[in-house]
Amino acid sequence: MAKIFNVTAVCLPDIHYMVDITERLCAIKEMVDRGDYFTINRARQYGKTTTMYALMDFLKAEYTVVYLDFQLLGEADYASESSFVRAFCKELLFVCEDMELPTDVKTRLRGMASNEEESVRMADMFVVFSNWCRQTAKPIVLMIDEVDSASNNQVFLDFLAQLRGNYIRRRIKPAFQSVILAGVYDIKNLKRKFVPEGQHMTNSPWNIAADYLVDMSFSPHDIAGMLKEYEKDYHTGMDVDAVAERIYEYTAGYPFLVSRICKLIDEQIAGSERFADRASAWTESGVTEAVGRILNEKNTLFESLQDKIDSYPELRQMLYSLLMNGKSISYNPDDAVVDIALMFGFVKVEDFKVVVANRIFETRLYNAFLTSRRLPFR
């Protein structure tokens, strides 16, 4: 079966054209080897889940890797501490069904996942985890995807606090080798999301996370590598480096936008009225055509961006000032609005100045502000 360009869910190397992320995986593994606790935080559709899946395979020779997805927990699972523990243990047993868990650990997890125990506590669950870590042949790495989808802040904060407590005392009590959380929000902004403004927390779970500095955007070299794989299959005669460079000019390496351009060229533009075949489509002109189509389509990424603008009026005001008024904004790490814009992927920092993340976002936002019937801010 021929490979395709993928813009939904997880990219899999056997069926999708993908950028080679081996160097990124090596950098993340160095953090795991050190025993770091960290968050892979990037904007929506930036390759977080694909990276997590690839990392599982990359680490399995040296570690027992446990991957959980908090999107699979429903609102009722966060209703109380006991309901969360039951749901967590049930999901853990499911993902570990092919692993050889110690008998006492499996028995205890089954008891907490069922209704056999009317009241189960978070602390009890972490005692079981410690026993598991004590008996395992390979160190355990806990990976939790979509960690910011939690619907009850107190239960979630209790869970993070337990993770923190067990991580801190891992030298005296067996614990996970490394904890990796993935989501749009980083540790600092998880605090902003779940803790009401002005509320102080003792034993804060926010102050142990290592900085995650791995660049997950695609360079022109990365894009060219993916296009070379495509070229091996179709022999279009494209100038790989020139096409890759043009894609990067429009996207600045935003993974979804890179893949979306490629998918449009492959599946819609090649064979169209203007571009009769793949050879004519895989050109700089074909890239420009794909960008034009993206700017005029509805897609999940743009819907997510619009939702953020509607939810954060101060973000809308800042972007309006940047684009429509030509305001120069110096980067200030303590500016909460800039921090939000960076977190959601709207902007980046260049030469200590805040700029829109890429040309596609810039044009889409400019058009939206220009045609909007609503005032951009009050």
Side-chain angles (χ1 to χ4, degrees):
M1 185 177 71
K3 289 184 179 181
I4 62 172
F5 292 101
N6 181 45
V7 294
T8 58
V10 179
C11 289
L12 303 172
D14 293 340
I15 59 176
H16 301 132
Y17 292 110
M18 290 179 58
V19 163
D20 183 356
I21 62 171
T22 303
E23 288 188 13
R24 296 166 177 80
L25 296 177
C26 288
I28 299 172
K29 184 178 180 296
E30 288 182 8
M31 300 181 73
V32 171
D33 292 341
R34 290 197 303 263
D36 286 347
Y37 174 124
F38 59 98
T39 300
I40 298 177
N41 65 287
R42 290 296 182 271
R44 289 293 176 204
Q45 295 180 291
Y46 217 96
K48 298 182 295 297
T49 299
T50 294
T51 299
M52 295 279 269
Y53 268 70
L55 187 61
M56 280 193 288
D57 191 58
F58 197 73
L59 295 175
K60 66 182 181 182
E62 297 179 39
Y63 297 101
T64 296
V65 184
V66 177
Y67 171 87
L68 302 173
D69 185 349
F70 269 17
Q71 274 193 137
L72 299 176
L73 301 187
E75 186 173 349
D77 297 325
Y78 291 99
S80 67
E81 181 177 348
S82 293
S83 60
F84 176 83
V85 171
R86 289 193 185 96
F88 192 96
C89 291
K90 187 178 295 184
E91 184 63 21
L92 184 62
L93 285 166
F94 177 76
V95 301
C96 295
E97 62 182 353
D98 294 328
M99 299 181 188
E100 293 187 8
L101 297 179
T103 302
D104 60 321
V105 171
K106 182 178 289 188
T107 299
R108 193 76 173 91
L109 288 175
R110 283 175 173 169
M112 289 190 288
S114 68
N115 293 321
E116 295 174 14
E117 302 184 31
E118 293 184 3
S119 179
V120 287
R121 300 186 310 133
M122 203 92 68
D124 298 331
M125 181 173 70
F126 276 89
V127 168
V128 177
F129 293 163
S130 184
N131 289 335
W132 183 14
C133 293
R134 179 183 293 109
Q135 298 177 61
T136 186
K138 294 189 289 188
I140 301 172
V141 177
L142 176 65
M143 302 168 60
I144 304 178
D145 204 357
E146 299 291 347
V147 71
D148 45 7
S149 63
S151 62
N152 181 315
N153 61 338
Q154 190 54 57
V155 170
F156 180 71
L157 291 175
D158 289 346
F159 173 73
L160 286 181
Q162 290 286 339
L163 272 179
R164 174 189 184 274
N166 283 269
Y167 179 82
I168 287 174
R169 65 177 186 175
R170 66 192 185 284
R171 300 302 179 196
I172 58 174
K173 287 286 185 180
F176 299 122
Q177 162 71 17
S178 181
V179 175
I180 307 172
L181 311 178
V184 172
Y185 291 78
D186 61 9
I187 290 290
K188 173 179 59 180
N189 286 303
L190 276 171
K191 180 179 181 181
R192 180 178 295 148
K193 178 179 180 181
F194 288 104
V195 180
E197 192 69 30
Q199 181 175 323
H200 177 68
M201 287 188 63
T202 57
N203 295 326
S204 169
W206 324 108
N207 60 6
I208 61 169
D211 291 330
Y212 179 75
L213 303 175
V214 179
D215 185 1
M216 292 175 64
S217 63
F218 297 160
S219 68
H221 176 76
D222 291 331
I223 300 169
M226 179 171 62
L227 295 182
K228 286 175 183 176
E229 289 299 310
Y230 181 88
E231 190 66 4
K232 286 179 184 177
D233 292 337
Y234 291 102
H235 310 288
T236 69
M238 78 168 89
D239 185 334
V240 168
D241 291 333
V243 172
E245 193 67 48
R246 181 55 61 92
I247 292 172
Y248 183 80
E249 286 175 10
Y250 281 111
T251 65
Y254 198 112
F256 172 87
L257 296 176
V258 171
S259 296
R260 185 61 182 155
I261 287 174
C262 293
K263 190 174 183 67
L264 284 172
I265 293 174
D266 180 51
E267 298 179 8
Q268 296 185 29
I269 294 174
S272 66
E273 185 175 347
R274 287 189 58 199
F275 300 89
D277 53 23
R278 284 191 167 91
S280 58
W282 284 102
T283 59
E284 294 180 50
S285 296
V287 173
T288 303
E289 173 72 15
V291 170
R293 295 191 184 199
I294 289 173
L295 289 171
N296 288 284
E297 73 177 4
K298 288 186 176 180
N299 60 48
T300 53
L301 176 59
F302 290 155
E303 288 173 355
S304 175
L305 295 178
Q306 185 60 52
D307 178 67
K308 299 301 183 294
I309 290 175
D310 292 340
S311 300
Y312 294 87
E314 66 276 24
L315 172 62
R316 183 180 181 86
Q317 178 176 347
M318 189 204 77
L319 292 171
Y320 188 89
S321 297
L322 196 63
L323 280 170
M324 307 303 285
N325 297 336
K327 181 180 178 181
S328 177
I329 300 176
S330 297
Y331 175 63
N332 176 0
D334 297 320
D335 187 325
V337 180
V338 170
D339 203 33
I340 290 171
L342 285 167
M343 179 177 67
F344 291 142
F346 284 100
V347 300
K348 59 184 177 181
V349 178
E350 288 185 348
D351 299 324
F352 304 102
K353 296 289 185 182
V354 177
V355 298
V356 178
N358 55 69
R359 288 175 62 183
I360 291 178
F361 282 8
E362 183 177 288
T363 305
R364 182 80 178 207
L365 287 167
Y366 181 84
N367 291 342
F369 284 130
L370 200 61
T371 59
S372 177
R373 295 181 180 180
R374 295 175 298 163
L375 290 174
F377 54 90
R378 294 184 182 275

